[in-house]
Amino acid sequence: MERYSVIEMKNPREMLLLKSRPCHWGLCSFCDYISDNDVNVQENIRMNKKVIKRVTGIHRQLEIINSGSCMELPNETLSDIQAIVTEKAIEKLYFEAHYQYKHELEAFRKRFTVPIVFKTGIETFDDDFRNKVLKKGVYFNAPSEVASHFESICLLVGIQGQTKAMIHRDIEILLKNFKYGCINIFQNNSTPIKADKDLIEWFHNTYGALEKLANIEILWHNTDFGVGGNSHEA
Ligand code: SF4
C-alpha cells in the first residue's frame, strides 16, 4: 500500500495516507477501504511515524487522509504531524472528517500552527440517495450549512441509481458554495454498490472540462492521488 505521494499538477502538495482507529461511522454502503483501520494504536503510531518522516515540505502544503476522520488518528500521530509542519515549514494542512465531526473542527484546528482546510464526503446533495442508498449518515438543511463548516467537499459520481439530474445539481451546488471540490468517479469494489459505465461516460463528456478549474480535482481512477488502493475519504 503506497502511503506517500506528491501531487504536482494542481494545488501541489504532499499527501499521506495514515492509519487510524476504525471509522466511527463505518456504514457507508460504497466503502471498503475501512479495512485499513486498525484498533492497534501503537502499530498505527509506528506506521504513521515512518510515513510522516517522508515529508520534505517541497510544496509547503500537506494533505493527510486516513480512511476515516482526522479525529480518529492517534494523539501521538497528531503531535508528529505538528512536528513535521514546523521542521519542514509547511504552510497549510488539509485533513478530512465525516460531517458528524463538524463541531470538533475548531478544537482540532487549535492543535496546529498553520491553517487547515477540512474536507468532507457529501457524495451527493440528493438527501435520499446520500442517506438511503449510500448510507452516508450526513444530514443538513442546506449546502450553506455544510459550507459554514467545510471549505472542501467530495462528490461521488457514476453509481447505478444515480441520475444525470442529480449530478447536474451536485456540480452546480459545488461550484456555487465551496472553495475546493474533489469528484470521485466510482469504481466497482468489494461492496454491492455498482458503477454505471454509461453515466460515467456521460459525465466525462459533459463535465470533463471541470478539470481545467484550479479548485476542482476529478479522480477518474481511485489511485489518482498516488496513495492507497482505493479512493479514501471521510
Ligand atoms: S466513506 Fe468515510 S465515513 Fe463512510 S465508512 Fe468509509 S471511511 Fe467511514
Side-chain angles (χ1 to χ4, degrees):
M1 172 88 81
E2 186 52 70
R3 294 186 179 276
Y4 170 85
S5 73
V6 182
I7 297 175
E8 299 284 3
M9 300 291 284
K10 191 184 290 188
N11 198 11
R13 61 203 188 275
E14 288 171 274
M15 177 168 277
L16 309 182
L17 169 59
L18 300 184
K19 284 182 75 80
S20 64
R21 68 176 187 261
C23 166
H24 89 289
W25 177 246
L27 296 175
C28 299
S29 56
F30 60 91
C31 171
D32 70 353
Y33 43 84
I34 49 174
S35 55
D36 193 43
N37 297 157
D38 199 326
V39 293
N40 186 335
V41 179
Q42 290 311 315
E43 179 55 22
N44 289 347
I45 291 170
R46 190 193 65 78
M47 168 72 81
N48 292 344
K49 279 182 189 294
K50 277 173 59 179
V51 181
I52 291 167
K53 266 189 194 148
R54 298 181 65 182
V55 172
T56 66
I58 182 173
H59 294 304
R60 301 280 182 262
Q61 299 202 94
L62 177 62
E63 177 161 358
I64 314 277
I65 60 174
N66 61 292
S67 309
S69 300
C70 52
M71 293 78 187
E72 291 149 4
L73 287 163
N75 200 38
E76 191 170 334
T77 292
L78 297 178
S79 299
D80 291 341
I81 294 168
Q82 175 54 53
I84 206 80
V85 162
T86 304
E87 186 186 329
K88 303 295 181 184
I90 301 292
E91 293 168 356
K92 193 191 263 189
L93 284 167
Y94 299 77
F95 281 104
E96 60 178 2
H98 189 278
Y99 192 67
Q100 291 175 4
Y101 280 113
K102 60 186 180 295
H103 296 305
E104 295 186 31
L105 303 181
E106 286 318 305
F108 192 89
R109 247 184 241 286
K110 292 196 171 87
R111 290 194 61 129
F112 296 90
T113 53
V114 295
I116 296 175
V117 172
F118 286 108
K119 180 195 275 189
T120 196
I122 295 300
E123 321 308 351
T124 174
F125 286 91
D126 184 290
D127 293 342
D128 270 9
F129 198 75
R130 184 179 64 254
N131 287 323
K132 291 186 180 159
V133 178
L134 302 180
K135 308 221 180 313
K136 189 71 199 183
V138 168
Y139 299 89
F140 50 82
N141 292 314
S144 57
E145 194 178 317
V146 179
S148 71
H149 300 288
F150 292 90
E151 281 179 280
S152 177
I153 58 164
C154 295
L155 296 177
L156 196 52
V157 162
I159 291 176
Q160 287 180 13
Q162 201 173 22
T163 66
K164 293 174 185 173
M166 280 182 207
I167 295 170
H168 279 312
R169 181 166 171 262
D170 289 343
I171 299 298
E172 192 182 338
I173 291 172
L174 164 62
L175 296 177
K176 195 168 158 192
N177 292 274
F178 296 93
K179 191 167 175 186
Y180 304 98
C182 179
I183 301 169
N184 294 306
I185 307 302
F186 185 73
Q187 288 184 277
N188 286 332
N189 56 22
S190 62
T191 71
I193 297 292
K194 293 293 166 223
D196 181 334
K197 284 187 179 156
D198 292 340
L199 194 62
I200 291 170
E201 191 179 336
W202 167 83
F203 180 82
H204 191 278
N205 295 334
T206 310
Y207 284 113
L210 283 176
E211 278 192 305
K212 292 183 185 147
L213 299 180
N215 62 331
I216 303 293
E217 289 173 319
I218 303 179
L219 271 63
W220 298 103
H221 303 285
N222 48 26
T223 52
D224 280 356
F225 275 154
V227 292
N230 282 295
S231 161
H232 288 70
E233 61 170 68

